[in-house]
Each structure stands twice: as structure tokens, then as C-alpha cells.
Amino acid sequence: MGTMTKRAPQTILWLTLFTLALLPKARGGRVKIKPYIDLQTRYEDNIFLESEGPDANESDMSVVVTPGISVEWPVWDLFWQAFYQAGFGFYLDFTDNDYITHTFGGLVRYTPVEALSLGLSDTLEISQLPEAGNETFTYNKILGQAKYEWLTGVGTSASFHLSTYDDPSPSKAGNFDETGYSLSQSYKLSSKTDFTLTGTLRDREFENMPLKDYDEMLIRFVTRYSPWDDFTAWVGPGVKWRSYEGGDDSSFVGSLKGSFKPTDHELSLGYDYDVVDTFEELQIEEFEGLTTEFTSERSYSEIRTYAVEFTHVYRHKFSLNWLWHFLPSTSLITEGTYQMNEYDSFISSSYTNRGRDDDIIIGTLGIQQKFTKWLIFVLKYSYLTRSSNIKEEEYDANRIGIEVLGSF
Amino acid sequence: MKHRRLLKAAHALGFLILLMCGLQSWTAAQEEGITQGEFAVLLVREIAGERELPVAATVSDYVQFLQDLELEPLGGWSPDEILTTGDLVSLLKLEEMTRATKRKLEVTVEGPGTAESEPALIEVPDNAYADKFEVDSETGPYLSAKILAVDGEETIVSWRPKNAQRQLRDVILETGEYPFSFETDTSQGTSTFILRWLEHTERPVTIDEVRALLAAQVELPFILPQFMPQISPGSPGLED
């Protein structure tokens, strides 16, 4: 103890000198604190997106308040960031849908030399349904990444992530632990053209599901080409392999996107083809196929039998986004999406998605007014419609929403 | 005893080396200027864009982020090159502001200690990229511009249109940009509009100048997409 006390001033002096020696590298090292708040209110004439049954065409008004704060602190070759965001969603009539979310995040990035960067981030999301048994969902994701640029424009990056999800459902079927790895090689041919080849591997283990182990590998090659100042195009074909109990398969995936930004306009057109796997908890009494039954008592004392449905969704998505800044602070928002979903379920039952085909159209018109650099007002109207070969899955809905965004 | 002397000598040498390193790098940082890559990092930090970057981000990621926002110096980014005033002007699109001012504003001119003159058109010298606008709330809308001319002499230019604030804003907005912010200093009963232009000479920009520019809260000529993760209860999909 005595030795430590004696050495303390010396240690402080050393640390001070060391700090002074490195201090000039701390460029722009001031702490930035940025609070923000988002207020949204929305009227929907079909909040459950159902056309049949007791919840069909139910309308309601909702208010969502999203305050948040982020703190950024660049010091030496380190960059620290922490943020917290809360979300409070309230419904006027259907209060069972009220929710509260808390999101905590942290990031530290270390860049000892210009060509090397190491980063670690953690994001924790906690969601609660206070009016529906106060069920709590938790999702945590840790992401680590390293990137090294061998030559100007030639870089390699490697990353890993660990994520866990905890769901309050009685079956615990949705709970999982996931480990993922990614390796990416990028090559910048010129300021107009670059290529990136990425391989991603994810291993998801479900806590309580017949398809306990799910592995997925994706290899994607993305080319970005920008022949003119205001036009950029991306092409990203890829292959996805999946492995799970009951089968292995592979699919081609791909995306195509063009972005055109002449004066006063921002226009982007996109096409995306992907195969997404979904895991859905079914509340059924009888079923056939590859599932396991779960019986449990929910918070509202109702006993049900559960199964889990595993579905491939083959998804074609066309999108259009157009922003027209027709006045200096005012913009017209036009968004359109057309999505074709083909379902391939593992369970053969009338309750399932087997053989289901959906067409979804979402059209949005809105206006954005920027009052000051920290206050933005948005008024939006959206029309949503889904047609399906399964009658129960069809719906039409209208949404009118107002959003006020303040960042300070 | 010998061991202790050696230890002391090593400590002294260590102190000296660190001190020299510190002084040398501090001097170098002040004198050598700043590279385009270093400026890209500072600029992205200033606009809170770090969160949009990959977890591990090298200088090329910062540069790419700015390129995506259509921010690049004339001739494109060269991260290892020293940043010049010309780069800064083209990057922050201050040049457009200058042109707009030339085209539009009719002003009265005051020299230091002289009376207000008749209205005249501002003729901003080609090499004048530094300016300061002020509004004195006690005397009503009043704008003045301090122009740094070629020969280094300062000229105070001011104007009092009926709606000066609005007019100035309109002129600036005509370019489709927001090149500066309005700062209000209520303690002095005045509002100060600050826009920093830089002398249009191809000389290196120092870290202090960049810091001063960014500290002046020059509003950058674009709207940064806000970081607002949309969260609602439910299981994250495999895409997450």
C-alpha cells in the first residue's frame, strides 16, 4: 500500500506526459451531446390489417413519443458513443397495444492508423406491453469489426456478432442465441466504380423449437457505379444457402437500385429479390407435419396449444422514392412499394401459409416542412392493400399521420 | 544502488523523449495543416454522421459517406493530400453563396468610422470568402458584412432593407442550400449571424481554422437523415 501511494504521483506524471505526447492527435475532441424527440400521431382505419373476423376494419388513433439522447466523444484515436432512446406508444381505444421501449447503445472505435480501424458496439432493446400482461421482450446484439486498407481503395473487413432474443411467449419458441461472422473485401476502381464481395455466416440456435439449429450463409457481390455526379447505380447479386433440420437448400438473391439526384429532386428506384425465413408461433389444436406441441398458461390464464411454423418467403420488392424540394424548406414526399410474396411452409395444415401468394401495394404521399435546422414537420397519407389467394389474409387500410421531429 | 541510478536515468530519458515527441507532434499539427482525410473525419463527426458508418470505419468510409451526400472538393477526394482553402470552399459550397450574394443584394456601404453611404450593389471580391453578418435588434433589422479583400484591408458593408433577415434568407435559400446558421446572442440584445468565408487562395488550412469553422456552427448544405431506429415489440427477423 505504501509503495503504491509513493508511486502514485510518479504514475500520474507519466500518464500526463503520455497524454500530452498524444494529445495533438485528438482532433475535434469535444463532447457532443445531442438530444432529440420525435412525436407521431396517426389515424388508421384498419389497425390490425384484417378484413375478416372480430378485429377487422377496427380504427384507432395512436400517439408515439420517441425521445432520445446521444453522446459522442472523440478522444485520441478513440471514438466513444452512447445513446439511449425511449419509445412510448399509446392507442386511444385498443390500449392492449400500448408499448414502451428502451434502447441502450454503445460504440467504441479505435483507429490507431488511418488504414486500420477496430470497433465494438452493443445494442440492447427492451420492449414492454404494459396493458397486456406487461410482457417483456429483450433483444441484445454485440457487434465487433476490424477493417484494414491494404492499399488506397482496397480494404478487408471482418466482423462477428452475438445476439440473443428473449420472448415472453409460453412456448419460448422464438427465443434464440445467434452467432454470426462476416468477411468482406472491397475494391475501389475509381471514384465512380467500386466492388464489394461479402460472405456472411450465421448460426442461430432456438431455445425451444423443433428446428433447433438454423444456419445461413450468404455471399453477395455488390457493384456501385456512378457515371454522372447526380446518378448512382448499385447491382448486388448473391447466393444464400440455408441448413436446418429437415432440409438444406439454396437460392439466388439480388438487388438493383438507381439513385438520381438532379437539382431540387431526389429519386430512387429499387428492385430487391430475397428469400427470408420466418418463424411464427401458431395457436392451433391439430396440425400435421414437422412441429412440436407446447402447452402453457399465459398471463391472462388461457391454456392453448402451440406449434411453430417455419416458412420460406420468396420476396420480390419494387420501390420508388421521390423527394421534390419544390420550396427551399418544403419537400413533397412520394413513396411507392409493390411486393410479391410467395410462401413455402413446412407445415401442411389449413392454418398455415403453405401455398400462399400475396401482392402488397403501399403508396404514400406527404409533405415535409423544415422550420429550422432542428425542427421538421411531416404530414403523410398512406394507402396499404394486400391481395392474397388466402381470403383471410387480404386487407385494405388508410393511414394519416403527422410527425414532428426535433433535434437539438 | 547502481540499479536505482540506472532506473532514474531511464525515467529521465523517458520523460525527455515523451516531451520531445509531444512538442514535435504538437508543432507539426499546428504547422503542417490538415489532410483531406482528417478533415473528412472531423466533418462527419460535426454532423453526427459517425453513427451511420460501419462499426470499424477507416478514412475511406468517412470519405464515402460524404461522397454519398454529394460533398467533395473539386477534383474529388484525395485523403492524403493537404486540405486547402479552395477545397474547403468547394466542399462547403460557399462559392455558390458568394455568387448569390453578388447577384442579389443591394446594400449601403459603411467604412470604419464613416457615415452610411447610398445603397450600392455588393461587389464581393473574387478572393473574398470570409464574411460576418450581424443584426442589431436595437436598431431594427440591420445586416453588415465584413469583407476581407485581396489586399487584406477590411471593408464593412451593411444594408437595411425592409425585411433584411427574410431577404438574406431568401437569397441564400435560392441556392437550395443552408450555408450558415443564425445565432442569437440575447445577453447583448443583439443577434449575430455568422458565416465564415475563407480567402480564396490555395493555401493549406490548419487544424485551428477548421475547428473555428466547425465551431461557428456553419450549417452544412444538406439535411442529414436522422438516426431514429424504429422499434416495436416483436421478434427480430433474420434480416436483423
Side-chain angles (χ1 to χ4, degrees):
Chain A
M1 184 69 184
T3 312
M4 283 183 71
T5 312
K6 196 175 171 183
R7 284 187 178 172
Q10 196 178 340
T11 310
I12 291 168
L13 187 60
W14 269 108
L15 285 173
T16 307
L17 276 173
F18 193 65
T19 305
L20 285 173
L22 294 174
L23 201 56
K25 298 176 82 177
R27 304 196 152 182
R30 65 194 166 99
V31 178
K32 245 180 131 67
I33 300 174
K34 191 179 173 74
Y36 57 86
I37 188 163
D38 184 56
L39 303 170
Q40 291 181 45
T41 180
R42 195 158 82 178
Y43 170 79
E44 297 168 75
D45 67 358
N46 186 358
I47 61 165
F48 298 110
L49 299 178
E50 291 188 12
S51 59
E52 294 185 4
D55 291 332
N57 299 316
E58 290 286 2
S59 62
D60 202 356
M61 180 84 91
S62 63
V63 176
V64 180
V65 185
T66 316
I69 186 165
S70 74
V71 181
E72 297 182 353
W73 185 31
V75 55
W76 299 9
D77 300 320
L78 286 170
F79 173 78
W80 301 85
Q81 184 201 55
F83 75 88
Y84 166 72
Q85 180 174 295
F88 304 94
F90 305 102
Y91 286 80
L92 194 64
D93 295 325
F94 295 90
T95 54
D96 273 5
N97 292 309
D98 289 359
Y99 65 86
I100 301 171
T101 62
H102 303 277
T103 306
F104 303 88
L107 163 74
V108 58
R109 181 181 295 138
Y110 177 51
T111 313
V113 291
E114 281 193 3
L116 176 66
S117 181
L118 306 166
L120 187 68
S121 73
D122 187 11
T123 307
L124 172 65
E125 297 173 10
I126 300 169
S127 310
Q128 291 172 305
L129 302 172
E131 301 295 325
N134 208 26
E135 294 181 336
T136 303
F137 304 77
T138 310
Y139 178 58
N140 187 50
K141 185 172 184 178
I142 298 169
L143 175 64
Q145 192 176 40
K147 183 175 178 188
Y148 184 68
E149 282 194 10
W150 305 91
L151 300 166
T152 304
V154 182
T156 303
S157 69
S159 69
F160 74 92
H161 75 260
L162 305 168
S163 55
T164 56
Y165 177 70
D166 187 46
D167 168 323
S169 75
S171 66
K172 301 290 180 194
N175 292 5
F176 64 78
D177 291 325
E178 182 177 288
T179 312
Y181 306 94
S182 175
L183 189 63
S184 178
Q185 178 66 44
S186 58
Y187 176 59
K188 191 166 191 169
L189 191 65
S190 67
S191 61
K192 293 175 186 265
T193 312
D194 57 55
F195 309 99
T196 308
L197 178 66
T198 307
T200 309
L201 184 68
R202 61 205 309 174
D203 174 10
R204 183 174 283 199
E205 301 223 344
F206 289 92
E207 183 183 325
N208 195 8
M209 184 186 275
L211 301 166
K212 194 173 179 64
D213 193 17
Y214 177 89
D215 299 326
E216 181 185 285
M217 186 165 78
L218 173 68
I219 292 182
R220 190 181 278 265
F221 184 73
V222 178
T223 303
R224 188 185 67 88
Y225 181 52
S226 184
W228 309 292
D229 286 348
D230 50 10
F231 179 76
T232 308
W234 291 263
V235 182
V239 188
K240 193 184 260 188
W241 288 270
R242 288 153 305 162
S243 169
Y244 41 84
E245 283 183 41
D248 296 317
D249 58 42
S250 62
S251 326
F252 285 104
V253 295
S255 60
L256 196 62
K257 186 184 166 189
S259 169
F260 185 47
K261 293 182 179 175
T263 310
D264 298 336
H265 296 271
E266 292 177 41
L267 174 68
S268 70
L269 288 166
Y271 165 70
D272 189 66
Y273 174 64
D274 202 355
V275 182
V276 182
D277 295 325
T278 65
F279 304 89
E280 200 172 334
E281 188 183 66
L282 297 177
Q283 299 174 5
I284 58 177
E285 301 301 328
E286 294 178 0
F287 56 89
E288 302 165 13
L290 188 67
T291 61
T292 299
E293 287 186 48
F294 303 96
T295 304
S296 181
E297 190 173 346
R298 296 196 78 129
S299 53
Y300 42 87
S301 303
E302 183 181 355
I303 296 175
R304 284 180 174 175
T305 304
Y306 291 88
V308 173
E309 181 182 23
F310 176 43
T311 310
H312 298 324
V313 184
Y314 298 89
R315 191 177 67 188
H316 299 264
K317 185 177 177 182
F318 300 86
S319 60
L320 175 150
N321 288 284
W322 174 38
L323 268 177
W324 176 25
H325 308 294
F326 64 95
L327 287 173
S329 301
T330 314
S331 307
L332 181 73
I333 301 168
T334 308
E335 295 166 356
T337 304
Y338 172 55
Q339 193 169 317
M340 291 187 293
N341 289 349
E342 295 171 17
Y343 291 76
D344 184 10
S345 171
F346 273 54
I347 305 174
S348 52
S349 159
S350 59
Y351 291 92
T352 71
N353 289 317
R354 171 158 284 208
R356 176 179 156 192
D357 286 335
D358 289 353
D359 290 314
I360 301 164
I361 296 173
I362 303 173
T364 300
L365 268 178
I367 195 154
Q368 174 182 289
Q369 174 70 37
K370 188 182 178 193
F371 288 108
T372 69
K373 69 174 181 178
W374 52 268
L375 187 64
I376 297 171
F377 172 89
V378 182
L379 173 67
K380 268 187 183 179
Y381 164 75
S382 297
Y383 173 68
L384 303 83
T385 180
R386 181 163 75 187
S387 55
S388 175
N389 60 352
I390 297 177
K391 187 76 179 163
E392 295 79 16
E393 300 294 343
E394 297 194 328
Y395 64 77
D396 290 291
N398 293 281
R399 284 179 185 162
I400 298 172
I402 296 171
E403 180 178 1
V404 181
L405 175 66
S407 63
F408 311 99
Chain B
M1 183 66 88
K2 193 178 175 183
H3 178 71
R4 188 176 286 179
R5 276 188 186 170
L6 277 174
L7 201 63
K8 276 188 179 174
H11 271 139
L13 191 63
F15 282 141
L16 200 62
I17 290 171
L18 277 175
L19 200 61
M20 292 297 286
C21 284
L23 279 174
Q24 191 186 15
S25 56
W26 184 81
T27 312
Q30 302 307 306
E31 290 177 356
E32 280 178 8
I34 179 172
T35 65
Q36 288 190 17
E38 288 170 322
F39 177 72
V41 173
L42 286 179
L43 188 55
V44 172
R45 281 182 182 165
E46 185 59 30
I47 59 176
E50 285 259 9
R51 60 188 63 152
E52 306 290 335
L53 300 175
V55 172
T58 55
V59 167
S60 62
D61 293 300
Y62 289 85
V63 168
Q64 186 61 53
F65 176 82
L66 294 172
Q67 269 182 333
D68 291 344
L69 293 169
E70 298 178 343
L71 277 177
E72 55 186 335
L74 285 173
W77 285 95
S78 303
D80 297 330
E81 297 287 320
I82 295 292
L83 182 80
T84 66
T85 46
D87 295 332
L88 210 49
V89 165
S90 59
L91 260 168
L92 301 184
K93 302 187 179 177
L94 299 180
E95 208 164 10
E96 290 182 23
M97 167 63 195
T98 311
R99 284 202 297 269
T101 308
K102 264 184 174 178
R103 195 173 61 243
K104 282 287 177 184
L105 289 178
E106 194 176 77
V107 300
T108 56
V109 181
E110 289 178 333
T114 63
E116 187 176 307
S117 71
E118 291 300 312
L121 187 72
I122 279 189
E123 284 296 338
V124 181
D126 287 341
N127 66 341
Y129 286 89
D131 209 345
K132 183 178 180 183
F133 295 90
E134 289 180 346
V135 168
D136 185 342
S137 58
E138 289 177 357
T139 58
Y142 177 93
L143 297 173
S144 70
K146 190 164 97 177
I147 295 182
L148 303 178
V150 191
D151 54 8
E153 283 186 12
E154 291 183 0
T155 307
I156 304 295
V157 181
S158 61
W159 58 95
R160 293 184 191 184
K162 276 185 181 175
N163 191 347
Q165 184 172 332
R166 176 66 189 272
Q167 184 173 340
L168 180 64
R169 184 187 287 249
D170 286 349
V171 168
I172 291 158
L173 295 185
E174 269 195 12
T175 66
E177 314 294 358
Y178 297 78
F180 66 94
S181 62
F182 296 120
E183 289 180 358
T184 305
D185 181 0
T186 50
S187 63
Q188 299 296 319
T190 60
S191 300
T192 304
F193 297 177
I194 295 175
L195 167 65
R196 289 183 187 277
W197 300 353
L198 298 172
E199 292 170 56
H200 187 49
T201 50
E202 292 295 319
R203 65 166 178 79
V205 181
T206 65
I207 182 77
D208 287 340
E209 284 176 310
V210 169
R211 280 186 173 141
L213 178 70
L214 298 178
Q217 297 185 356
V218 171
E219 191 173 339
L220 298 167
F222 53 84
I223 301 169
L224 187 73
Q226 293 293 323
F227 172 65
M228 297 290 293
Q230 296 296 314
I231 303 156
S232 57
S235 172
L238 278 166
E239 294 162 288
D240 295 301

